[in-house]
Amino acid sequence: MSEALAKKAAALDAADGLARHRELFALDDGVVYLDGNSLGALPRHVPARMQDVIAREWGQLRIRSWEESGWWTAPERIGDRIAPLVGAAPGTVVVGDSTSVNVFKALVAAVRLAGDDRDEILVDATTFPTDGYVAESAARMTGRRIRALAPDEMVSALGPRTAAVLVNHVDYRTGRLNDLPVMTAAIQAAGALAVWDLCHSAGALPVGLGAHGVDFAVGCTYKYLNGGPGSPAYLYVRGDHQPRFDTPLPGWNSHEDPFGMRPAYVPGDGAVRGRVGTPDILSMLALESALDVWDGVAIEAVRAKSLALTDFFLECVEAYVPAGRVSSVTPVAHAERGSQVSLSCAEAGEVMRTLTARGVVGDFRRPDVLRFGFTPLYVGFADAERAATELAALVG
Amino acid sequence: MSEALAKKAAALDAADGLARHRELFALDDGVVYLDGNSLGALPRHVPARMQDVIAREWGQLRIRSWEESGWWTAPERIGDRIAPLVGAAPGTVVVGDSTSVNVFKALVAAVRLAGDDRDEILVDATTFPTDGYVAESAARMTGRRIRALAPDEMVSALGPRTAAVLVNHVDYRTGRLNDLPVMTAAIQAAGALAVWDLCHSAGALPVGLGAHGVDFAVGCTYKYLNGGPGSPAYLYVRGDHQPRFDTPLPGWNSHEDPFGMRPAYVPGDGAVRGRVGTPDILSMLALESALDVWDGVAIEAVRAKSLALTDFFLECVEAYVPAGRVSSVTPVAHAERGSQVSLSCAEAGEVMRTLTARGVVGDFRRPDVLRFGFTPLYVGFADAERAATELAALVG
């Protein structure tokens, strides 16, 4: 470590308008948690809320809670809590199921909207693999074919056969931020529909789904949104697409009259059309409670701090780690960077195990990537400096 | 009420070997809870376990819990807890997603196994509607067609075009128990595959999935299994079908090497193949904890008590309610009865609202059904007698 960088960290922390948010989370001062892009930390107030949900809402009110405790409307209500964080209008986001299941809904609905003469789905070849696997199934079941391309090859591959494009806003491995406004405009100019996966961007940077006219989006809630392990994912359907949103999973929760128990399926209006079966209330209400930490937080301030944190971490790594031991695979340009820094490194698996044992928790992605996620609501500049110090001690 | 029936109830409760299980649940002595077939009551020990899951496993161990707290393997581990309750072999049940999503997986996989020359799916026309809606989508996406039939018409409708048959073990509305062994044998003799929905039978009566060679089954866990509101559903795939189980939802959790992040999908072996995305851990571990109430309980004893309870309730209704005010739509024969009694009744919605206000909680199913579910682990004979007394006071 260097005296100068430690002092710089202290100054940056002192000037950080989001620094007080760290108190809202259950964190151990001895640990630098840089894995919030895998599992967000626990907001301190969630256990008490969940005790109430379990002991009173389930235990005492039982079946009455579907109405009296607002369980039935939770998927849309929580969707409306997430909407402003991703720049979506009220009534366009619904919470439920996993990201994989939502990719299936969105992609099948997108190709159906695109029409039968468009038979190609472009998929981000660098994607988190589940999106690619599920896209293959969506293509197989709708009579389309898949082309896997790097995001920067996609725009030139668009054509009259393109039905839909599935792409990640931020690449899970490298942390590269793809240009959502430009790609969405190009996809739509070609007559296709844009389906964005926001898992690694929502809660870390402005997304602007509405402003950029995105057709569909999906994302998880257990990373930067801190919803808890495996908390339910969400689906965004642009308002004007909703009346023609033709889901492959028409469960009873999406019916216009669910308790009518009618034999014919008639979808409801709005975001509810993205629902499927009975929502997993405990996971869902933990997420709802966790979202309280966003009260009064501007996502632009989060983005500014995120970039400052990753810049500073890279500066510390550059200063502390001898040349050649690690190299960043995360883009330098702010416009191309999410909220993580990925360093390729020899013996990365072993390095990350040791770092974790020393209290710097990131994760390892095969074959050689050390991944450090910076959650602006609870990671500070001194944390970044300490992480670089420990890394240098290990690989220096 | 009658002195004789009240005494009979007391005697039956005194002789009930399962009576002590009621103490395991958070129940109010002033309330007769006959809605466990909609939402099972809270086992008393679950809140403390969930506090530990949330505050320690998530809050303190964070990302380490995926391995150290056994989160990653929860879907198969909890599947193996459910397996003996439905007569399934270890390694054939996996927990996750909603019943609707699991119907989609099972039905698509079944028609794929049946082969391309079989283009018809028979669906229980009296089914809980979500199964029918999802079956329509499965048919549409696999190029099959749907025929909706009453369960007793299905066997005679089987033929060389039948790919799969989706049927409920117990009808949600009437409480009719369909003959799983006989129907499964007939379906398979016709060269088709049997997909059973166990939502209203699992935890209330022996199912015998293995003994009767059922191909696929799905079910929820929040009714007689008391897993909590919207707790995850399960999928059963018969062992010899597993290597050819071709899922329409090939999420990364079902990959043979999920953390390999490989671009090509290669399914894992066994029950894991039914997984999709990241499991909803909080809901899932509440279910796991709730299953502790089954330790040492034989499902045959549960069935015996269930039949005794529904018999006795019908006896009390017959004795107390003036003729013509209600009529049972639940079969009299034990072989055709699940664990509920459904009474058709004028103004049933209003009657159920008033009954609930008086502490007898069942539910109303349109247009005219009062539904009373009898959960043998926590409902007693005096409860049944009181429910009939209150009903008689209202409609008498």
Side-chain angles (χ1 to χ4, degrees):
Chain A
M1 64 172 289
S2 87
E3 194 74 26
L5 286 171
K7 281 180 71 173
K8 182 172 176 180
L12 287 165
D13 280 327
D16 173 15
L18 291 173
R20 68 190 169 77
H21 275 77
R22 180 184 171 100
E23 291 167 24
L24 301 178
F25 293 88
L27 288 163
D28 175 346
D29 284 340
V31 173
V32 176
Y33 191 63
L34 302 179
D35 216 359
N37 55 337
S38 189
L39 176 64
L42 170 71
R44 282 188 199 280
H45 67 283
V46 168
R49 168 63 183 140
M50 290 310 292
Q51 203 60 11
D52 183 58
V53 168
I54 297 172
R56 186 180 60 83
E57 293 187 5
W58 174 15
Q60 292 175 23
L61 299 180
R62 289 181 287 271
I63 195 70
R64 290 162 50 193
S65 274
W66 282 107
E67 195 167 323
E68 292 177 27
S69 303
W71 289 355
W72 182 260
T73 51
E76 298 85 61
R77 183 177 70 242
I78 305 171
D80 278 344
R81 294 283 300 276
I82 292 172
L85 296 172
V86 292
T92 59
V93 177
V94 68
V95 171
D97 304 307
S98 64
T99 305
S100 299
V101 169
N102 283 303
V103 166
F104 188 73
K105 294 178 207 169
L107 211 47
V108 169
V111 302
R112 286 174 174 171
L113 275 175
D116 288 340
D117 51 332
R118 291 179 174 268
D119 66 352
E120 210 167 68
I121 300 172
L122 306 188
V123 176
D124 182 348
T126 63
T127 192
F128 188 75
T130 206
D131 292 34
Y133 307 156
V134 171
E136 277 282 351
S137 177
R140 172 184 177 187
M141 299 190 79
T142 57
R144 268 69 172 183
R145 70 188 195 102
I146 289 285
R147 280 177 71 192
L149 297 164
D152 60 7
E153 301 168 331
M154 284 179 151
V155 167
S156 61
L158 292 163
R161 293 178 58 179
T162 315
V165 181
L166 172 63
V167 58
N168 292 271
H169 198 191
V170 172
D171 184 275
Y172 79 98
R173 204 178 61 87
T174 63
R176 173 179 292 277
L177 172 65
N178 290 309
D179 193 331
L180 182 144
V182 165
M183 289 183 69
T184 300
I187 292 163
Q188 293 175 345
L193 290 98
V195 183
W196 286 90
D197 181 332
L198 309 178
C199 283
H200 286 271
S201 63
L205 50 91
V207 176
L209 290 177
H212 305 304
V214 166
D215 298 287
F216 296 95
V218 302
C220 77
T221 61
Y222 47 77
K223 300 181 189 289
Y224 297 107
L225 298 179
N226 313 301
S231 54
Y234 57 91
L235 171 70
Y236 165 81
V237 179
R238 204 176 71 193
D240 59 323
H241 288 324
Q242 287 179 342
R244 295 193 300 144
F245 179 72
D246 182 5
T247 179
L249 293 170
W252 72 294
N253 271 232
S254 67
H255 198 282
E256 66 164 8
D257 180 19
F259 292 94
M261 306 286 169
R262 286 153 44 183
Y265 179 71
V266 181
D269 288 332
V272 74
R273 201 177 275 210
R275 289 176 66 161
V276 185
T278 303
D280 50 341
I281 292 298
L282 302 188
S283 288
M284 197 163 273
L285 298 190
L287 163 62
E288 181 174 39
S289 177
L291 290 171
D292 289 351
V293 301
W294 294 95
D295 288 351
V297 174
I299 195 72
E300 292 73 18
V302 169
R303 174 60 169 167
K305 180 175 173 186
S306 160
L307 287 170
L309 276 169
T310 50
D311 275 346
F312 182 65
F313 178 65
L314 285 165
E315 180 182 352
C316 294
V317 169
E318 169 90 17
Y320 297 169
V321 180
R325 302 295 167 85
V326 301
S327 66
S328 174
V329 298
T330 300
V332 172
H334 282 182
E336 297 175 12
R337 192 195 303 162
S339 197
Q340 74 187 56
V341 171
S342 294
L343 302 175
S344 77
C345 172
E347 309 287 349
E350 185 53 32
V351 168
M352 187 51 79
R353 268 189 294 281
T354 310
L355 266 182
T356 297
R358 294 186 183 181
V360 175
V361 181
D363 58 20
F364 162 59
R365 284 294 176 260
R366 297 184 207 167
D368 65 346
V369 167
L370 305 172
R371 199 174 73 158
F372 301 96
F374 291 84
T375 304
L377 291 188
Y378 56 73
V379 173
F381 294 89
D383 294 325
E385 199 271 345
R386 182 176 154 208
T389 299
E390 296 283 1
L391 176 65
L394 259 181
V395 304
Chain B
M1 64 173 289
S2 87
E3 194 75 27
L5 285 171
K7 282 179 70 172
K8 182 172 176 181
L12 287 165
D13 280 328
D16 173 15
L18 290 173
R20 66 189 170 79
H21 274 76
R22 181 184 171 100
E23 291 167 25
L24 301 177
F25 293 87
L27 288 164
D28 175 345
D29 283 338
V31 173
V32 176
Y33 191 63
L34 302 180
D35 215 0
N37 56 337
S38 189
L39 176 64
L42 170 71
R44 282 188 198 279
H45 66 283
V46 168
R49 167 64 182 140
M50 290 310 292
Q51 204 59 12
D52 184 58
V53 167
I54 297 171
R56 187 180 59 84
E57 294 186 6
W58 173 16
Q60 292 174 25
L61 299 180
R62 288 181 287 271
I63 196 70
R64 290 162 49 193
S65 274
W66 280 107
E67 194 168 326
E68 292 177 28
S69 303
W71 289 355
W72 183 260
T73 52
E76 298 84 62
R77 183 177 71 241
I78 304 171
D80 278 344
R81 294 283 300 276
I82 292 172
L85 296 172
V86 293
T92 58
V93 177
V94 68
V95 171
D97 304 308
S98 64
T99 305
S100 299
V101 169
N102 282 303
V103 167
F104 188 72
K105 294 179 205 169
L107 211 48
V108 169
V111 303
R112 286 174 174 171
L113 276 175
D116 288 340
D117 51 331
R118 290 178 174 268
D119 67 351
E120 210 167 67
I121 300 172
L122 306 188
V123 176
D124 182 350
T126 64
T127 191
F128 187 76
T130 206
D131 292 34
Y133 307 156
V134 171
E136 277 282 351
S137 177
R140 171 185 177 187
M141 298 190 81
T142 57
R144 268 71 172 180
R145 69 187 196 103
I146 290 284
R147 279 178 72 193
L149 298 164
D152 61 6
E153 302 169 330
M154 283 178 151
V155 168
S156 61
L158 292 163
R161 291 177 60 178
T162 315
V165 180
L166 172 63
V167 59
N168 292 270
H169 197 192
V170 172
D171 185 275
Y172 79 98
R173 204 177 61 85
T174 63
R176 172 179 292 276
L177 172 65
N178 290 309
D179 193 332
L180 182 144
V182 165
M183 290 183 70
T184 300
I187 292 162
Q188 293 174 346
L193 290 99
V195 183
W196 286 91
D197 180 332
L198 309 179
C199 285
H200 286 272
S201 63
L205 50 91
V207 177
L209 290 177
H212 305 302
V214 166
D215 298 286
F216 296 95
V218 302
C220 77
T221 61
Y222 47 77
K223 299 181 189 291
Y224 297 107
L225 298 179
N226 314 300
S231 54
Y234 56 90
L235 171 70
Y236 165 81
V237 179
R238 203 176 71 193
D240 60 324
H241 288 324
Q242 286 180 341
R244 294 192 302 144
F245 178 72
D246 183 6
T247 179
L249 294 169
W252 72 294
N253 271 231
S254 66
H255 198 282
E256 67 164 8
D257 181 17
F259 292 95
M261 307 286 168
R262 286 152 44 182
Y265 180 70
V266 182
D269 288 333
V272 73
R273 202 177 276 210
R275 290 175 65 161
V276 185
T278 303
D280 50 342
I281 291 298
L282 301 188
S283 288
M284 196 164 273
L285 298 189
L287 163 63
E288 181 174 39
S289 178
L291 290 170
D292 288 351
V293 299
W294 294 94
D295 288 351
V297 173
I299 196 73
E300 292 75 15
V302 169
R303 174 61 169 166
K305 180 174 173 186
S306 160
L307 287 171
L309 276 169
T310 50
D311 276 346
F312 182 66
F313 178 64
L314 285 165
E315 180 182 354
C316 293
V317 168
E318 171 90 17
Y320 298 169
V321 179
R325 303 295 166 85
V326 301
S327 67
S328 175
V329 299
T330 300
V332 171
H334 282 182
E336 297 173 13
R337 190 195 304 162
S339 197
Q340 75 187 54
V341 171
S342 295
L343 303 176
S344 77
C345 173
E347 310 287 347
E350 185 53 32
V351 169
M352 187 52 79
R353 266 188 296 281
T354 310
L355 266 182
T356 297
R358 294 185 183 181
V360 174
V361 181
D363 57 21
F364 162 59
R365 285 292 177 261
R366 296 184 208 168
D368 65 346
V369 167
L370 304 172
R371 200 173 72 159
F372 300 97
F374 290 84
T375 303
L377 291 188
Y378 55 72
V379 172
F381 295 88
D383 293 326
E385 200 272 344
R386 181 177 156 207
T389 299
E390 296 282 2
L391 177 64
L394 259 181
V395 304

